[in-house]
Amino acid sequence: MTSSARPHLNRRLAEFGTTIFAEMSALATATGSINLGQGFPDTDGPEEIREAAVRALRDGRGNQYPPGPGVPELRTAIAAHQRRRYGLAYDPDTEVLVTAGATEAIAAALLALVEPGDEVVALEPYYDSYAASIAMAGGTRVPVTLRPHEGSFRLDLDELRAAVTGRTRLLLINTPHNPTGTVLTREELAAIAELAVERDLLVVTDEVYEHLVFDGAEHLPLATFPGMRERTVSIGSAGKTYSFTGWKVGWVTGSRELVGAVRAVKQFLTYVSSGPFQYAVAEALSLPDAYFEEFRAGMRARRDILAEGLTAAGFEVFRPAGTYFVTTDIRPLGEKDGFAFCRALPERAGVVAIPNAVFYDDREAGAPFVRFAFCKREEVLREAAERLRGM
Ligand SMILES: *Cc1c(COP(=O)(O)O)cnc(C)c1O
């Protein structure tokens, strides 16, 4: 990563310069490439939800500072969603907090719960804000690497257990997992829960892709496992679930004590955000199940278009069970350095992708993997597949 900010950036954050997404998106623009780098949809979410936002804005709801924890309509809708889908009961007044996207929820949770010097165990490859948020909190990140095994990236439970020390404060878990598309199984989650209880750890779970699971895979929130409700901060977001990533409406659910701690930090980060959008997301959360089924089916079709295109172009494809990313191995193409490959790809094929190595501390482990986003219109994916095949 380039780092023009480095001369002034403090030591805790010196390693975090400009993100790869800025570099690759600039490259996409400069070369007129199809940008399958950053994960945002190229079509907006449901029209009636857009209209709900317009209505809120016109009716003067949320144009001024909304309540710090989020508007009551949204907190109630979040609690109802958790109860309906997962049987998890949360008090909308004390156990639900609205945040400026999942990104703020992650940062606020880590700033609230981690003491300087505490170790935070996180699955590697990481979502890109985790390392920076752990660093902002003064924590030390301890990666547990998901490794390719029979077509998907899996967690080695022994490795996870071995990563926990006397200094470990919390586990930072992401399922469905970006960038690998892995959805942790019931057995894996049960083992994580047992470990957390046994070692008395807190758990922060990033579940922003909870509705994007395919082929019969099931998303199971860690908070539903025995002993977990009181030690788990669960994070969700409207961005990925409703295709409104610009609205930045996220949320946290958990015990009164944990949510209270996160809220204490959140009030000094953004205080509040996204006023009118909060009302619209409250309506989105009440959409019938048919919405989620249709959304999932549409994304699965796109996944298949891109996965087949990548296979035809010679990549090894790890077909994701969740999220909207496909991770590939470039070694069958005679390549081994994902960075070099992604920097050259716009010129070679007119397509932009992200080298997974940026999501690893162990850059070697991530070197041959490259991530493509499929949350784009089908014709865009077909064109990208065509271009890659002609490479
Ligand atoms: C996109 C994403 C986020 C950020 O969500 P926002 O609501 O846009 O802040 C967090 N975690 C993961 C794994 C993501 O892919």
Side-chain angles (χ1 to χ4, degrees):
M1 274 179 243
T2 57
S3 195
S4 52
R6 201 165 282 161
H8 297 290
L9 192 55
N10 70 52
R11 248 180 293 131
R12 283 193 313 290
L13 298 175
E15 67 176 293
F16 307 104
T18 314
T19 76
I20 189 75
F21 300 104
E23 180 187 344
M24 288 299 165
S25 292
L27 206 51
T29 307
T31 57
S33 293
I34 297 175
N35 191 353
L36 303 184
Q38 202 167 12
F40 61 86
D42 62 356
T43 41
D44 288 348
E47 185 56 31
E48 70 261 41
I49 302 306
R50 273 208 308 199
E51 283 305 318
V54 171
R55 228 182 313 115
L57 206 139
R58 284 224 176 89
D59 293 349
R61 288 181 299 149
N63 291 329
Q64 309 303 332
Y65 294 140
V71 303
E73 289 84 344
L74 178 53
R75 282 184 279 115
T76 302
I78 292 164
H81 172 271
Q82 298 303 90
R83 188 172 342 96
R84 190 173 70 244
R85 294 202 71 88
Y86 308 124
L88 285 165
Y90 292 107
D91 175 355
D93 290 332
T94 57
E95 298 183 316
V96 178
L97 173 68
V98 177
T99 56
T103 306
E104 187 194 34
I106 294 159
L110 292 166
L111 286 165
L113 304 173
V114 173
E115 295 285 357
D118 282 352
E119 291 176 359
V120 175
V121 172
L123 307 182
E124 180 183 74
Y126 309 108
Y127 175 63
D128 76 324
S129 83
Y130 295 171
S133 290
I134 295 167
M136 285 192 260
T140 302
R141 62 181 187 270
V142 177
V144 174
T145 307
L146 302 182
R147 298 188 194 280
H149 177 73
E150 293 175 359
S152 67
F153 284 78
R154 302 305 337 166
L155 172 63
D156 181 329
L157 292 167
D158 291 329
E159 234 178 279
L160 176 67
R161 287 186 199 101
V164 174
T165 73
R167 303 177 69 93
T168 307
R169 172 71 167 155
L170 67 81
L171 307 178
L172 176 51
I173 303 293
N174 170 215
T175 184
H177 183 263
N178 173 7
T180 63
T182 293
V183 177
L184 295 177
T185 62
R186 185 182 294 278
E187 292 68 33
E188 288 165 334
L189 291 162
I192 292 170
E194 264 171 45
L195 179 66
V197 171
E198 181 192 314
R199 305 297 296 267
D200 195 20
L201 306 173
L202 298 175
V203 177
V204 175
T205 65
D206 177 345
E207 305 180 4
V208 302
Y209 297 102
E210 61 188 311
H211 290 287
L212 277 174
V213 290
F214 313 119
D215 308 334
E218 192 183 5
H219 170 69
L220 299 167
L222 262 169
T224 61
F225 285 76
M228 293 304 286
R229 189 192 184 280
E230 63 266 31
R231 63 180 70 247
T232 303
V233 173
S234 305
I235 296 173
S237 171
K240 308 292 165 52
T241 298
Y242 300 105
S243 301
F244 289 117
T245 58
W247 288 9
K248 296 299 285 189
V249 177
W251 52 84
V252 166
T253 51
S255 69
R256 184 192 186 102
E257 292 73 20
L258 286 170
V259 169
V262 179
R263 190 171 56 228
V265 172
K266 183 256 169 354
Q267 66 189 333
F268 300 118
L269 292 178
T270 55
Y271 174 43
V272 292
S273 59
S274 309
F277 298 128
Q278 292 192 28
Y279 292 95
V281 171
E283 291 193 25
L285 281 162
S286 314
L287 287 172
D289 285 350
Y291 163 75
F292 298 110
E293 276 150 35
E294 204 177 300
F295 178 55
R296 213 173 3 249
M299 281 295 177
R300 191 194 327 107
R302 296 168 202 208
R303 176 199 66 172
D304 292 345
I305 291 168
L306 183 62
E308 269 138 46
L310 289 165
T311 303
F315 293 81
E316 181 186 350
V317 172
F318 297 90
R319 191 168 284 243
T323 76
Y324 40 52
F325 302 105
V326 178
T327 283
T328 59
D329 189 332
I330 57 175
R331 282 173 292 193
L333 297 167
E335 302 272 349
K336 55 185 193 301
D337 177 353
F339 266 110
F341 181 80
C342 287
R343 290 210 167 96
L345 196 60
E347 280 298 333
R348 280 176 76 186
V351 174
V352 162
I354 296 291
N356 284 26
V358 300
F359 307 126
Y360 287 77
D361 283 328
D362 182 356
R363 295 267 159 132
E364 256 334 279
F369 303 119
V370 167
R371 188 192 83 175
F372 295 82
F374 58 82
C375 47
K376 309 293 176 184
R377 282 169 291 133
E378 292 191 6
E379 62 268 29
V380 172
L381 296 171
R382 286 206 185 84
E383 171 64 22
E386 195 64 36
R387 291 183 185 189
L388 290 163
R389 246 195 313 270
M391 184 170 70

